[in-house]
Amino acid sequence: MDKYQHRKGKAAVKIKTPDGQPLKNAKVEVKQTKHRFLFGCADFSVVPFVNNEFSDELREIVQMSFEKFVDLFNFATLPFYWGRFEPVRGKPDTQRLKNAAQWLKERGFVLKGHPLCWHTVTAPWLLELTNEQILDAQLGRIKREVSDFAGLIDMWDVINEVVIMPNFNKYDNGITRICRQYGRIGLVKMTFEAAKEANPKSILLINDYVVSDAYEILIEALLYAGVRFDVIGIQSHMHQGFWGVEKTQEVLERFSRFGIPLHFTEVTLISGKLMPPHIKDLNDYKPENWLSTPECEERQAMEAVLFYKMLFAHPLVEAITWWNFIDTFAWLGAPAGFVTKDGRIKPIYSALYNLIKKEWWTGTQELVTDQSGTLKVSGFMGEYEIAFKDKKASFTIDKPECTVEVTL
Amino acid sequence: MDKYQHRKGKAAVKIKTPDGQPLKNAKVEVKQTKHRFLFGCADFSVVPFVNNEFSDELREIVQMSFEKFVDLFNFATLPFYWGRFEPVRGKPDTQRLKNAAQWLKERGFVLKGHPLCWHTVTAPWLLELTNEQILDAQLGRIKREVSDFAGLIDMWDVINEVVIMPNFNKYDNGITRICRQYGRIGLVKMTFEAAKEANPKSILLINDYVVSDAYEILIEALLYAGVRFDVIGIQSHMHQGFWGVEKTQEVLERFSRFGIPLHFTEVTLISGKLMPPHIKDLNDYKPENWLSTPECEERQAMEAVLFYKMLFAHPLVEAITWWNFIDTFAWLGAPAGFVTKDGRIKPIYSALYNLIKKEWWTGTQELVTDQSGTLKVSGFMGEYEIAFKDKKASFTIDKPECTVEVTL
């Protein structure tokens, strides 16, 4: 049995010439050009990079890194942390983000904005408002970003970490206040309705790092309450060690029970010393210099391959996003990226490249059309290019069986 | 400030003589006879004891124990584990339970049945049924027990441990099956509706050992879904050590947010060596002989006093039930009771007796009625006896301020 069967499809490609005749008995070349599956990464340095804010050596490292980034991924997460996006009320950072989104879109990326509602890094000025005003500002903010970016960004992490949101007590913040007042389910419902209203075509995620019963019950409750969301987002920041096969399977099993697509939204496996297990909030760990070492880089690569294989083999998983590409900009200063601080590419890059662009990629095939000008193409779902002499056309395989027509 | 103010009330007691005249300037004695707060215990040996199934030395120990039990508590939990109550379909153990319930009721006890729906110790014959048939049997079972015992038992733990119910995988069982099929919220809704229908006056609890976000979210979800329940039941089996002040406060704070009464339904603090912290499912720990020791008995008493004081001080807590009274019959064989296997009363008994029947008890007061035959009685809420010469009457204080009339 092929454990990746659900990732593949067969297309009957009917080829016609410009005058409408079937292109009979012709030798053509077919190759995949893009994955349907979303292989993603979040590296927020793309924003200053695209906006030309880096200089000298750092600029060179970032430039080289994003070339590699573009070669490997087809999906990117862009930062919309409210406290950074709109530190002064009424002055959102829309243009810089649009520039970054445009740059990535031109390179074929699907884009996701993260997050629209979260208690961390939220706007500090919310604290001066009443709860009713905070809610208004939150829903207005959602509608503004989702409409401003429609067409560029049509996928959003609408609400982040709502499981702990009302109990978050490290510091006072506007979002915890309204989550307490309106309840988790009430707040989720309102934020998703606002986003859907602003862009009815958008794909909307709920996202959490809690993978226990608590998140599962929240999802059950949202479905029971008729709250519509498109994707269950699951974080997996494994700074304290790889989940391993058993936990990964267990999480997949529990969250697939709803029959809703799963995105692994924030994957971290580090190439350095693991964070000690006694740390409960990852933010509390602050080593002076968190080194990437050759042994740990091998471990990172091996674990990543195993993790990606398990997720790719599961029919409900539709996206995997690595959390940060360049160590210089990685969350918590962890050696979590594919590129070290001094610009060296770690083994994980070629390990995942071998999966994504080789093992799980349908390379060039030479095929011959039949008497009716038709040929059968089998391969991983995604976009394909078909070439006959100097002519090219494209088609998509997005179902187990499909029929497409192209003109060459 | 009096931290037990919410437990107390003031009654203006208007006393009349049988001919309807006010009993002026009379010296009367007033004393509390019963707590409004439910100080409870679960010791299921009450069933064989009341049904005369013990003999010899054990009978003596149990007899002595239940005398102590009746002196201290006003609330008891009776066992309705389906697998034991109806091991053969159609042959429920109704009569033995009725005998026990009657015996306790005659001694002034409020009674609760536990549990009506649970995946553990459930009826093994459910495994031969379809999910639809299991659900029918479950709802029928609830209606049968709740109506059969109405008037004797008007309080029920309707569903137990539903947080883990669909994920429970130690062994296959009918209840996990239907919880997976109908969902936690769906199953809770149906079981509570069945119980309420069978006895509209009953007080219905949801009960869980999970005190994390998961249970909190489930409660939020049930309220959002309009599922009606009367009490949030919180287990606290502290075989691995006392929660301490901080965790106790944190649990109280989180679960009091709903404004729904809280019952601490299953309190365990042991008088022996603690269970090691690495044990996840308490059932997995099976020491050969779990001794009660003098040092640990002192610890048990001190921790119990602290725990009871914290719970009694919280306005939403309405009941505390100790989990097992006699070590011989205690869950897991733990030294969790107030009475050792050889019939010795542990220090916890007098420690809690001092709280329940002394510190939190309004003893005999000599008072004098005024010109209108009225006197003011202040005290802990509950039932009172008032005596004038050889005449007696009773009244209840169940509000901060109330007016009652008695005839003496």
Side-chain angles (χ1 to χ4, degrees):
Chain A
M1 219 194 83
D2 178 359
K3 63 181 175 174
Y4 303 128
Q5 191 56 49
H6 54 281
R7 301 287 170 208
K8 297 174 182 170
K10 286 179 190 165
V13 185
K14 294 188 175 178
I15 310 174
K16 290 183 178 172
T17 55
D19 60 0
Q21 296 303 309
L23 182 73
K24 298 178 187 173
N25 306 320
K27 194 189 279 179
V28 299
E29 273 192 6
V30 177
K31 62 175 184 186
Q32 187 172 6
T33 55
K34 199 168 176 181
H35 271 293
R36 182 176 193 228
F37 191 94
L38 298 173
F39 291 103
C41 193
D43 198 295
F44 304 143
S45 68
V46 72
V47 183
F49 169 64
V50 167
N51 286 281
N52 289 311
E53 294 162 16
F54 291 125
S55 52
D56 307 332
E57 197 194 357
L58 186 56
R59 187 193 163 83
E60 276 174 41
I61 289 175
V62 174
Q63 170 88 41
M64 176 281 295
S65 298
F66 277 102
E67 282 166 20
K68 289 287 186 184
F69 187 99
V70 169
D71 279 350
L72 182 58
F73 300 115
N74 61 349
F75 179 43
T77 300
L78 285 171
F80 283 82
Y81 302 97
W82 201 359
R84 289 179 197 140
F85 186 77
E86 193 182 7
V88 177
R89 190 170 191 183
K91 296 192 175 173
D93 195 19
T94 312
Q95 195 51 56
R96 283 174 77 245
L97 266 292
K98 277 200 176 170
N99 297 342
Q102 194 62 47
W103 188 90
L104 286 161
K105 199 185 179 195
E106 283 161 9
R107 281 150 188 83
F109 277 72
V110 173
L111 300 175
K112 187 182 71 171
H114 167 90
L116 291 169
C117 177
W118 190 28
H119 51 272
T120 303
V121 203
T122 193
W125 45 265
L126 293 175
L127 289 170
E128 291 152 30
L129 309 181
T130 65
N131 284 2
E132 207 171 288
Q133 291 168 334
I134 295 172
L135 180 66
D136 275 354
Q138 172 66 78
L139 300 180
R141 185 266 153 135
I142 290 174
K143 290 179 194 166
R144 180 185 62 194
E145 268 67 274
V146 174
S147 3
D148 281 354
F149 286 83
L152 266 178
I153 301 180
D154 296 317
M155 189 185 289
W156 294 92
D157 287 335
V158 178
I159 201 161
N160 201 34
E161 304 184 356
V162 71
V163 167
I164 66 157
M165 194 175 272
N167 294 326
F168 180 82
N169 60 6
K170 284 207 153 185
Y171 45 82
D172 187 14
N173 72 87
I175 305 307
T176 290
R177 288 188 194 169
I178 57 172
C179 193
R180 282 190 189 180
Q181 171 150 0
Y182 300 99
R184 294 175 179 90
I185 301 166
L187 186 60
V188 172
K189 185 172 162 64
M190 290 187 282
T191 55
F192 277 73
E193 282 172 355
K196 210 54 154 189
E197 182 193 321
N199 180 357
K201 289 182 186 165
S202 57
I203 293 171
L204 303 181
L205 288 85
I206 182 167
N207 190 45
D208 219 298
Y209 77 92
V210 174
V211 292
S212 68
D213 289 347
Y215 191 31
E216 192 195 322
I217 294 173
L218 178 65
I219 289 164
E220 188 186 322
L222 293 170
L223 294 173
Y224 198 93
V227 179
R228 286 178 54 199
F229 55 96
D230 303 296
V231 174
I232 298 169
I234 295 172
Q235 300 179 21
S236 51
H237 292 293
M238 298 178 274
H239 297 76
Q240 293 174 309
F242 179 44
W243 284 359
V245 171
E246 203 178 350
K247 175 167 176 182
T248 307
Q249 276 175 339
E250 188 254 340
V251 168
L252 284 168
E253 190 189 319
R254 279 194 295 109
F255 289 94
S256 61
R257 202 177 290 155
F258 304 104
I260 292 171
L262 306 177
H263 285 194
F264 280 72
T265 53
E266 307 182 21
V267 178
T268 305
L269 285 162
I270 60 172
S271 66
K273 215 175 138 189
L274 294 180
M275 188 188 292
H278 69 268
I279 305 283
K280 287 196 174 167
D281 182 336
L282 303 191
N283 293 289
D284 292 340
Y285 186 63
K286 286 161 187 157
E288 270 200 19
N289 194 5
W290 205 342
L291 294 173
S292 185
T293 67
E295 301 75 29
C296 296
E297 287 173 11
E298 292 300 331
R299 183 194 66 208
Q300 180 196 39
M302 284 190 296
E303 290 170 346
V305 166
L306 181 52
F307 197 58
Y308 273 63
K309 283 184 171 178
M310 290 184 71
L311 302 187
F312 197 64
H314 194 285
L316 277 174
V317 179
E318 296 187 350
I320 309 172
T321 292
W322 194 268
W323 205 251
N324 309 148
F325 192 66
I326 311 170
D327 283 356
T328 312
F329 307 104
W331 180 47
L332 305 174
F338 286 37
V339 182
T340 62
K341 287 182 183 167
D342 52 1
R344 186 170 47 79
I345 308 292
K346 300 182 196 173
I348 187 175
Y349 188 88
S350 61
L352 287 188
Y353 192 93
N354 281 339
L355 288 181
I356 297 169
K357 285 297 179 75
K358 292 182 179 167
E359 196 179 321
W360 297 339
W361 186 256
T362 306
T364 305
Q365 304 176 58
E366 292 206 341
L367 300 165
V368 179
T369 61
D370 65 14
Q371 281 294 330
S372 69
T374 301
L375 50 82
K376 298 271 170 78
V377 180
S378 293
F380 284 96
M381 289 185 199
E383 293 177 20
Y384 282 78
E385 182 186 89
I386 183 162
F388 174 61
K389 294 179 181 165
D390 61 342
K391 293 170 183 168
K392 286 179 182 172
S394 63
F395 66 92
T396 301
I397 303 182
D398 58 1
K399 286 195 277 288
E401 305 271 351
C402 58
T403 301
V404 295
E405 291 193 9
V406 300
T407 302
L408 277 174
Chain B
M1 220 194 84
D2 179 359
K3 62 181 175 173
Y4 303 127
Q5 190 56 48
H6 55 281
R7 300 289 170 208
K8 297 176 180 169
K10 285 180 190 165
V13 185
K14 294 188 177 179
I15 309 173
K16 290 183 177 172
T17 54
D19 60 2
Q21 296 304 306
L23 184 72
K24 298 178 190 174
N25 307 320
K27 196 189 279 180
V28 299
E29 271 192 4
V30 177
K31 63 177 182 183
Q32 187 172 7
T33 55
K34 200 168 176 180
H35 269 295
R36 181 176 194 229
F37 190 94
L38 298 173
F39 290 103
C41 193
D43 198 295
F44 304 143
S45 68
V46 72
V47 182
F49 167 65
V50 168
N51 286 280
N52 288 312
E53 294 162 16
F54 291 124
S55 52
D56 306 332
E57 196 193 356
L58 186 56
R59 188 194 161 82
E60 276 174 41
I61 289 175
V62 174
Q63 169 89 43
M64 175 282 293
S65 298
F66 277 103
E67 282 166 20
K68 288 287 186 183
F69 187 99
V70 168
D71 279 349
L72 182 57
F73 300 114
N74 61 349
F75 180 42
T77 299
L78 286 172
F80 283 82
Y81 303 97
W82 201 359
R84 290 180 196 141
F85 186 77
E86 193 181 8
V88 177
R89 191 170 190 182
K91 297 192 175 173
D93 196 18
T94 312
Q95 195 51 55
R96 281 176 78 244
L97 267 292
K98 278 199 175 171
N99 297 341
Q102 193 62 49
W103 188 89
L104 286 161
K105 198 181 178 197
E106 282 161 11
R107 282 152 186 82
F109 276 72
V110 172
L111 299 176
K112 186 182 70 170
H114 166 91
L116 291 168
C117 177
W118 190 29
H119 51 272
T120 302
V121 203
T122 193
W125 45 264
L126 293 175
L127 288 170
E128 292 153 32
L129 309 181
T130 66
N131 284 1
E132 206 171 290
Q133 290 167 334
I134 295 172
L135 180 67
D136 275 354
Q138 173 66 77
L139 300 180
R141 186 266 152 135
I142 290 174
K143 289 178 194 166
R144 180 186 62 195
E145 268 68 275
V146 174
S147 0
D148 281 355
F149 286 83
L152 265 179
I153 301 180
D154 296 318
M155 190 185 289
W156 294 92
D157 287 336
V158 178
I159 200 161
N160 201 34
E161 304 184 358
V162 71
V163 166
I164 66 157
M165 194 175 272
N167 294 327
F168 181 80
N169 61 5
K170 285 206 155 186
Y171 46 82
D172 187 14
N173 72 87
I175 305 307
T176 289
R177 288 188 194 170
I178 58 171
C179 192
R180 282 191 188 178
Q181 170 150 358
Y182 300 99
R184 295 175 178 91
I185 301 165
L187 186 60
V188 172
K189 186 173 161 64
M190 290 187 283
T191 54
F192 276 74
E193 282 172 357
K196 209 57 154 186
E197 183 193 320
N199 180 357
K201 289 184 186 164
S202 57
I203 293 171
L204 304 180
L205 288 85
I206 182 168
N207 190 44
D208 218 299
Y209 76 91
V210 174
V211 293
S212 69
D213 289 346
Y215 191 31
E216 193 194 322
I217 294 173
L218 179 66
I219 289 165
E220 188 187 322
L222 292 170
L223 294 173
Y224 198 92
V227 178
R228 286 179 55 199
F229 54 96
D230 302 297
V231 174
I232 299 169
I234 295 172
Q235 300 180 20
S236 51
H237 293 293
M238 298 178 273
H239 297 76
Q240 293 174 309
F242 179 42
W243 284 359
V245 171
E246 203 178 351
K247 177 169 175 178
T248 306
Q249 276 174 339
E250 187 255 339
V251 167
L252 283 168
E253 190 188 320
R254 280 194 296 108
F255 289 94
S256 61
R257 202 177 291 154
F258 303 104
I260 292 172
L262 306 176
H263 284 195
F264 280 72
T265 52
E266 307 183 18
V267 178
T268 305
L269 285 162
I270 60 172
S271 65
K273 218 176 136 187
L274 295 179
M275 187 187 292
H278 69 268
I279 305 283
K280 286 195 176 168
D281 182 336
L282 304 191
N283 293 289
D284 292 339
Y285 185 64
K286 286 160 188 158
E288 271 201 17
N289 194 3
W290 206 341
L291 294 174
S292 184
T293 68
E295 301 75 27
C296 297
E297 286 173 11
E298 291 301 331
R299 184 194 65 208
Q300 180 196 39
M302 283 190 298
E303 290 170 346
V305 165
L306 181 51
F307 197 59
Y308 273 63
K309 282 184 171 177
M310 291 184 71
L311 301 187
F312 197 64
H314 194 286
L316 277 174
V317 179
E318 298 188 348
I320 310 172
T321 292
W322 194 268
W323 204 251
N324 308 149
F325 192 66
I326 312 170
D327 283 355
T328 312
F329 307 104
W331 181 46
L332 304 174
F338 286 38
V339 182
T340 63
K341 287 181 184 168
D342 51 1
R344 186 168 48 77
I345 307 293
K346 299 182 197 174
I348 187 175
Y349 188 88
S350 61
L352 287 189
Y353 192 93
N354 281 339
L355 288 181
I356 297 169
K357 286 295 179 77
K358 291 182 181 168
E359 195 178 320
W360 296 339
W361 185 257
T362 305
T364 305
Q365 304 173 59
E366 292 206 339
L367 299 166
V368 179
T369 61
D370 65 13
Q371 281 295 329
S372 69
T374 301
L375 50 83
K376 298 269 169 81
V377 180
S378 293
F380 284 95
M381 290 187 199
E383 293 176 20
Y384 281 78
E385 183 187 271
I386 184 162
F388 175 61
K389 295 179 181 164
D390 60 343
K391 294 170 184 169
K392 285 178 184 173
S394 63
F395 66 92
T396 301
I397 302 181
D398 57 2
K399 285 194 278 288
E401 304 271 351
C402 59
T403 301
V404 296
E405 291 192 12
V406 301
T407 302
L408 277 175

